[in-house]
Amino acid sequence: MNEQRRRLVFDLTVWITGPVLALSLLAVDVEAKSRHSGVDNATWRAECGGCHLPYPPGLLPAADWRRLMGSLDRHFGADASVDPKAGAEIGAFLAANAGRDEARAADVEPRITTTRWFRHEHGKVSPAVFRSSPVGTTSNCTACHADAAKGDFDEHAVRIPR
């Protein structure tokens, strides 16, 4: 009887934890892909991409995108103002495709490079790489991610310049 009980416990453990683990891994994969999915908007690509990589909306939560869009006249030291119609369209696009909320102090300027996700993904990259001539800054995604402009940040395709 003792052997049957052990077998039952083992079977239940395998049949319950197996699917739960599989669903958990699937959820993590879906979350990672949603951060940089291939969503697109022509106005966003033209206006934001005119100065820098049009960062995928999933890299910041909606509240951070709203703050950035509300202060385009002081956008990281530059005046990146757009006409109100374009601003409304871009803001709606960013909010609709934004990532999950992350706690952030109201007085801290939203930066993708300071998110928990970015720090986790780039934690093993030496600060010297970001300061190197080919890279220059943490916000220069295309230096290592050749398909960043397409929203593709696949870690298997990363090429860190030497």
Side-chain angles (χ1 to χ4, degrees):
M1 183 71 169
N2 211 6
E3 182 61 33
Q4 286 179 329
R5 177 174 265 168
R6 276 197 297 259
R7 180 65 186 179
L8 177 64
V9 169
F10 174 79
D11 287 347
L12 287 174
T13 302
V14 169
W15 286 104
I16 292 172
T17 59
V20 169
L21 179 60
L23 289 173
S24 298
L25 292 173
L26 179 62
V28 167
D29 187 51
V30 167
E31 149 106 44
K33 285 185 173 125
S34 72
R35 287 191 179 276
H36 34 68
S37 64
V39 297
D40 201 11
N41 174 283
T43 305
W44 160 75
R45 185 161 297 284
E47 292 290 349
C48 301
C51 297
H52 58 73
L53 171 75
Y55 297 108
L59 296 179
L60 284 176
D64 283 356
W65 286 122
R66 281 192 290 277
R67 287 179 55 206
L68 285 171
M69 291 301 296
S71 62
L72 288 177
D73 59 327
R74 302 174 312 281
H75 188 66
F76 299 99
D79 184 350
S81 299
V82 297
D83 71 72
K85 182 180 175 192
E89 180 183 342
I90 294 167
F93 167 74
L94 293 171
N97 295 286
R100 292 200 282 180
D101 284 338
E102 179 178 304
R104 186 184 303 274
D107 61 338
V108 176
E109 190 171 33
R111 291 178 182 271
I112 293 166
T113 58
T114 62
T115 63
R116 188 172 37 249
W117 170 82
F118 184 92
R119 289 190 316 267
H120 170 77
E121 292 296 317
H122 298 84
K124 292 182 181 176
V125 178
S126 166
V129 169
F130 292 118
R131 289 190 306 266
S132 71
S133 175
V135 179
T137 177
T138 54
S139 61
N140 183 10
C141 304
T142 56
C144 303
H145 302 275
D147 291 327
K150 297 178 194 170
D152 183 356
F153 296 87
D154 183 357
E155 66 186 68
H156 302 293
V158 171
R159 300 292 177 259
I160 298 176
R162 303 282 178 219

